[in-house]
Amino acid sequence: MKIRTAAIAMVVLLGASAWAAPPDMMVDPLRGPTPLTESATPPLMSPVENRDVRRMRTYSMQPPTIPHKIDGYQIDKNFNRCLACHARVNTEQTQAVPLSVTHYMDRDSNVLAEVSPRRYFCLQCHVTQTEAKPPVANNFQDIDTILKRLTATPAEKR
């Protein structure tokens, strides 16, 4: 019985010493080589894309991305700057893409005269794009590209 107790105590002590690494040796992979005890210098923010070109969506029902800068836009309970251009009543003048009819429906699919409160805060679903280099390599292909490649004749594949 004493041997068993001693063995358990030894395992507990060895386990505790494994967790008690000196703080200067602990490294967080997201911080890079900077130890946890030092302040890391954040990378510069990438500039926001400002091309006003509609981007292809990568999956069905994906919210479209915002193709322009929105710095300084007021979007709060009192005012939504996006609606100045994208509300259906303004799109003829602004030539902006109108909001989908789903933005004017409540959760029971009742059509409303104004934008639904659950769709009012645009940045919950829609995001701007930056001109940043991807952090990892990406060879993503959407399903349409894959299906075209699979159904192409041998002459088209060349």
Side-chain angles (χ1 to χ4, degrees), residues 24-42:
D24 59 334
M25 296 180 76
M26 293 172 42
V27 177
D28 178 3
L30 295 176
R31 294 169 53 94
T34 308
L36 292 175
T37 55
E38 296 177 23
S39 294
T41 304

PDB file of all heavy atoms in Angstrom, residues 24-42:
ATOM      1  N   ASP A  24       9.493  32.595 -19.286  1.00  0.00           N
ATOM      2  CA  ASP A  24      10.198  33.056 -20.480  1.00  0.00           C
ATOM      3  C   ASP A  24      10.331  31.961 -21.530  1.00  0.00           C
ATOM      4  O   ASP A  24      10.650  32.240 -22.675  1.00  0.00           O
ATOM      5  CB  ASP A  24      11.567  33.629 -20.121  1.00  0.00           C
ATOM      6  CG  ASP A  24      12.454  32.610 -19.428  1.00  0.00           C
ATOM      7  OD1 ASP A  24      11.919  31.683 -18.800  1.00  0.00           O
ATOM      8  OD2 ASP A  24      13.687  32.749 -19.521  1.00  0.00           O
ATOM      9  N   MET A  25      10.039  30.715 -21.150  1.00  0.00           N
ATOM     10  CA  MET A  25      10.131  29.620 -22.113  1.00  0.00           C
ATOM     11  C   MET A  25       8.764  29.297 -22.717  1.00  0.00           C
ATOM     12  O   MET A  25       8.671  28.558 -23.675  1.00  0.00           O
ATOM     13  CB  MET A  25      10.715  28.378 -21.448  1.00  0.00           C
ATOM     14  CG  MET A  25      12.147  28.576 -20.976  1.00  0.00           C
ATOM     15  SD  MET A  25      12.791  27.117 -20.199  1.00  0.00           S
ATOM     16  CE  MET A  25      13.104  26.111 -21.633  1.00  0.00           C
ATOM     17  N   MET A  26       7.701  29.827 -22.135  1.00  0.00           N
ATOM     18  CA  MET A  26       6.357  29.559 -22.652  1.00  0.00           C
ATOM     19  C   MET A  26       6.104  30.443 -23.869  1.00  0.00           C
ATOM     20  O   MET A  26       6.337  31.643 -23.832  1.00  0.00           O
ATOM     21  CB  MET A  26       5.315  29.824 -21.570  1.00  0.00           C
ATOM     22  CG  MET A  26       5.429  28.841 -20.422  1.00  0.00           C
ATOM     23  SD  MET A  26       4.392  29.195 -18.978  1.00  0.00           S
ATOM     24  CE  MET A  26       2.864  29.676 -19.636  1.00  0.00           C
ATOM     25  N   VAL A  27       5.643  29.839 -24.958  1.00  0.00           N
ATOM     26  CA  VAL A  27       5.412  30.569 -26.198  1.00  0.00           C
ATOM     27  C   VAL A  27       4.018  30.232 -26.712  1.00  0.00           C
ATOM     28  O   VAL A  27       3.601  29.079 -26.681  1.00  0.00           O
ATOM     29  CB  VAL A  27       6.477  30.196 -27.258  1.00  0.00           C
ATOM     30  CG1 VAL A  27       6.201  30.898 -28.558  1.00  0.00           C
ATOM     31  CG2 VAL A  27       7.867  30.542 -26.756  1.00  0.00           C
ATOM     32  N   ASP A  28       3.303  31.258 -27.169  1.00  0.00           N
ATOM     33  CA  ASP A  28       1.984  31.089 -27.774  1.00  0.00           C
ATOM     34  C   ASP A  28       2.174  31.091 -29.284  1.00  0.00           C
ATOM     35  O   ASP A  28       2.732  32.046 -29.827  1.00  0.00           O
ATOM     36  CB  ASP A  28       1.077  32.240 -27.331  1.00  0.00           C
ATOM     37  CG  ASP A  28      -0.303  32.165 -27.944  1.00  0.00           C
ATOM     38  OD1 ASP A  28      -0.594  31.193 -28.666  1.00  0.00           O
ATOM     39  OD2 ASP A  28      -1.098  33.078 -27.697  1.00  0.00           O
ATOM     40  N   PRO A  29       1.722  30.067 -30.003  1.00  0.00           N
ATOM     41  CA  PRO A  29       1.945  30.013 -31.453  1.00  0.00           C
ATOM     42  C   PRO A  29       1.377  31.211 -32.215  1.00  0.00           C
ATOM     43  O   PRO A  29       1.910  31.601 -33.238  1.00  0.00           O
ATOM     44  CB  PRO A  29       1.244  28.733 -31.892  1.00  0.00           C
ATOM     45  CG  PRO A  29       0.911  27.980 -30.672  1.00  0.00           C
ATOM     46  CD  PRO A  29       1.006  28.903 -29.509  1.00  0.00           C
ATOM     47  N   LEU A  30       0.309  31.816 -31.723  1.00  0.00           N
ATOM     48  CA  LEU A  30      -0.265  32.960 -32.418  1.00  0.00           C
ATOM     49  C   LEU A  30       0.564  34.229 -32.243  1.00  0.00           C
ATOM     50  O   LEU A  30       0.432  35.162 -33.016  1.00  0.00           O
ATOM     51  CB  LEU A  30      -1.700  33.211 -31.936  1.00  0.00           C
ATOM     52  CG  LEU A  30      -2.688  32.099 -32.254  1.00  0.00           C
ATOM     53  CD1 LEU A  30      -4.044  32.412 -31.644  1.00  0.00           C
ATOM     54  CD2 LEU A  30      -2.815  31.913 -33.752  1.00  0.00           C
ATOM     55  N   ARG A  31       1.411  34.270 -31.222  1.00  0.00           N
ATOM     56  CA  ARG A  31       2.253  35.446 -30.978  1.00  0.00           C
ATOM     57  C   ARG A  31       3.597  35.331 -31.672  1.00  0.00           C
ATOM     58  O   ARG A  31       4.402  36.249 -31.614  1.00  0.00           O
ATOM     59  CB  ARG A  31       2.480  35.611 -29.478  1.00  0.00           C
ATOM     60  CG  ARG A  31       1.241  35.938 -28.703  1.00  0.00           C
ATOM     61  CD  ARG A  31       1.479  35.835 -27.212  1.00  0.00           C
ATOM     62  NE  ARG A  31       2.600  36.610 -26.764  1.00  0.00           N
ATOM     63  CZ  ARG A  31       2.545  37.846 -26.281  1.00  0.00           C
ATOM     64  NH1 ARG A  31       1.370  38.437 -26.207  1.00  0.00           N
ATOM     65  NH2 ARG A  31       3.607  38.469 -25.879  1.00  0.00           N
ATOM     66  N   GLY A  32       3.860  34.206 -32.288  1.00  0.00           N
ATOM     67  CA  GLY A  32       5.158  34.024 -32.929  1.00  0.00           C
ATOM     68  C   GLY A  32       6.232  33.776 -31.886  1.00  0.00           C
ATOM     69  O   GLY A  32       5.969  33.204 -30.836  1.00  0.00           O
ATOM     70  N   PRO A  33       7.455  34.230 -32.129  1.00  0.00           N
ATOM     71  CA  PRO A  33       8.552  33.938 -31.200  1.00  0.00           C
ATOM     72  C   PRO A  33       8.559  34.810 -29.950  1.00  0.00           C
ATOM     73  O   PRO A  33       9.403  34.636 -29.084  1.00  0.00           O
ATOM     74  CB  PRO A  33       9.800  34.225 -32.059  1.00  0.00           C
ATOM     75  CG  PRO A  33       9.346  35.280 -33.006  1.00  0.00           C
ATOM     76  CD  PRO A  33       7.906  34.951 -33.307  1.00  0.00           C
ATOM     77  N   THR A  34       7.630  35.749 -29.817  1.00  0.00           N
ATOM     78  CA  THR A  34       7.607  36.637 -28.656  1.00  0.00           C
ATOM     79  C   THR A  34       7.130  35.873 -27.421  1.00  0.00           C
ATOM     80  O   THR A  34       6.033  35.331 -27.415  1.00  0.00           O
ATOM     81  CB  THR A  34       6.668  37.832 -28.902  1.00  0.00           C
ATOM     82  OG1 THR A  34       7.022  38.455 -30.127  1.00  0.00           O
ATOM     83  CG2 THR A  34       6.742  38.830 -27.768  1.00  0.00           C
ATOM     84  N   PRO A  35       7.943  35.820 -26.351  1.00  0.00           N
ATOM     85  CA  PRO A  35       7.510  35.130 -25.121  1.00  0.00           C
ATOM     86  C   PRO A  35       6.284  35.802 -24.515  1.00  0.00           C
ATOM     87  O   PRO A  35       6.025  36.986 -24.742  1.00  0.00           O
ATOM     88  CB  PRO A  35       8.720  35.264 -24.193  1.00  0.00           C
ATOM     89  CG  PRO A  35       9.858  35.595 -25.083  1.00  0.00           C
ATOM     90  CD  PRO A  35       9.294  36.326 -26.254  1.00  0.00           C
ATOM     91  N   LEU A  36       5.557  35.054 -23.706  1.00  0.00           N
ATOM     92  CA  LEU A  36       4.342  35.565 -23.084  1.00  0.00           C
ATOM     93  C   LEU A  36       4.621  36.718 -22.133  1.00  0.00           C
ATOM     94  O   LEU A  36       3.742  37.533 -21.871  1.00  0.00           O
ATOM     95  CB  LEU A  36       3.621  34.445 -22.337  1.00  0.00           C
ATOM     96  CG  LEU A  36       3.027  33.347 -23.209  1.00  0.00           C
ATOM     97  CD1 LEU A  36       2.456  32.239 -22.341  1.00  0.00           C
ATOM     98  CD2 LEU A  36       1.970  33.897 -24.123  1.00  0.00           C
ATOM     99  N   THR A  37       5.818  36.795 -21.602  1.00  0.00           N
ATOM    100  CA  THR A  37       6.138  37.845 -20.647  1.00  0.00           C
ATOM    101  C   THR A  37       6.461  39.174 -21.321  1.00  0.00           C
ATOM    102  O   THR A  37       6.632  40.176 -20.642  1.00  0.00           O
ATOM    103  CB  THR A  37       7.343  37.420 -19.779  1.00  0.00           C
ATOM    104  OG1 THR A  37       8.430  37.089 -20.652  1.00  0.00           O
ATOM    105  CG2 THR A  37       6.982  36.230 -18.918  1.00  0.00           C
ATOM    106  N   GLU A  38       6.563  39.203 -22.648  1.00  0.00           N
ATOM    107  CA  GLU A  38       6.880  40.429 -23.376  1.00  0.00           C
ATOM    108  C   GLU A  38       5.690  40.858 -24.227  1.00  0.00           C
ATOM    109  O   GLU A  38       4.865  40.042 -24.624  1.00  0.00           O
ATOM    110  CB  GLU A  38       8.095  40.215 -24.285  1.00  0.00           C
ATOM    111  CG  GLU A  38       9.375  39.912 -23.540  1.00  0.00           C
ATOM    112  CD  GLU A  38      10.530  39.631 -24.493  1.00  0.00           C
ATOM    113  OE1 GLU A  38      10.464  40.080 -25.657  1.00  0.00           O
ATOM    114  OE2 GLU A  38      11.466  38.952 -24.075  1.00  0.00           O
ATOM    115  N   SER A  39       5.629  42.146 -24.534  1.00  0.00           N
ATOM    116  CA  SER A  39       4.564  42.661 -25.402  1.00  0.00           C
ATOM    117  C   SER A  39       4.952  42.436 -26.854  1.00  0.00           C
ATOM    118  O   SER A  39       6.053  42.786 -27.269  1.00  0.00           O
ATOM    119  CB  SER A  39       4.352  44.156 -25.167  1.00  0.00           C
ATOM    120  OG  SER A  39       3.855  44.377 -23.878  1.00  0.00           O
ATOM    121  N   ALA A  40       4.040  41.875 -27.603  1.00  0.00           N
ATOM    122  CA  ALA A  40       4.276  41.646 -29.028  1.00  0.00           C
ATOM    123  C   ALA A  40       3.890  42.894 -29.812  1.00  0.00           C
ATOM    124  O   ALA A  40       2.945  43.598 -29.459  1.00  0.00           O
ATOM    125  CB  ALA A  40       3.457  40.456 -29.514  1.00  0.00           C
ATOM    126  N   THR A  41       4.626  43.187 -30.869  1.00  0.00           N
ATOM    127  CA  THR A  41       4.279  44.301 -31.744  1.00  0.00           C
ATOM    128  C   THR A  41       3.263  43.792 -32.762  1.00  0.00           C
ATOM    129  O   THR A  41       3.554  42.869 -33.512  1.00  0.00           O
ATOM    130  CB  THR A  41       5.533  44.820 -32.479  1.00  0.00           C
ATOM    131  OG1 THR A  41       6.518  45.169 -31.508  1.00  0.00           O
ATOM    132  CG2 THR A  41       5.198  46.015 -33.332  1.00  0.00           C
ATOM    133  N   PRO A  42       2.062  44.385 -32.783  1.00  0.00           N
ATOM    134  CA  PRO A  42       1.051  43.892 -33.726  1.00  0.00           C
ATOM    135  C   PRO A  42       1.441  44.234 -35.155  1.00  0.00           C
ATOM    136  O   PRO A  42       2.077  45.253 -35.407  1.00  0.00           O
ATOM    137  CB  PRO A  42      -0.214  44.627 -33.310  1.00  0.00           C
ATOM    138  CG  PRO A  42       0.253  45.839 -32.590  1.00  0.00           C
ATOM    139  CD  PRO A  42       1.570  45.498 -31.978  1.00  0.00           C
TER     140      PRO A  42
END
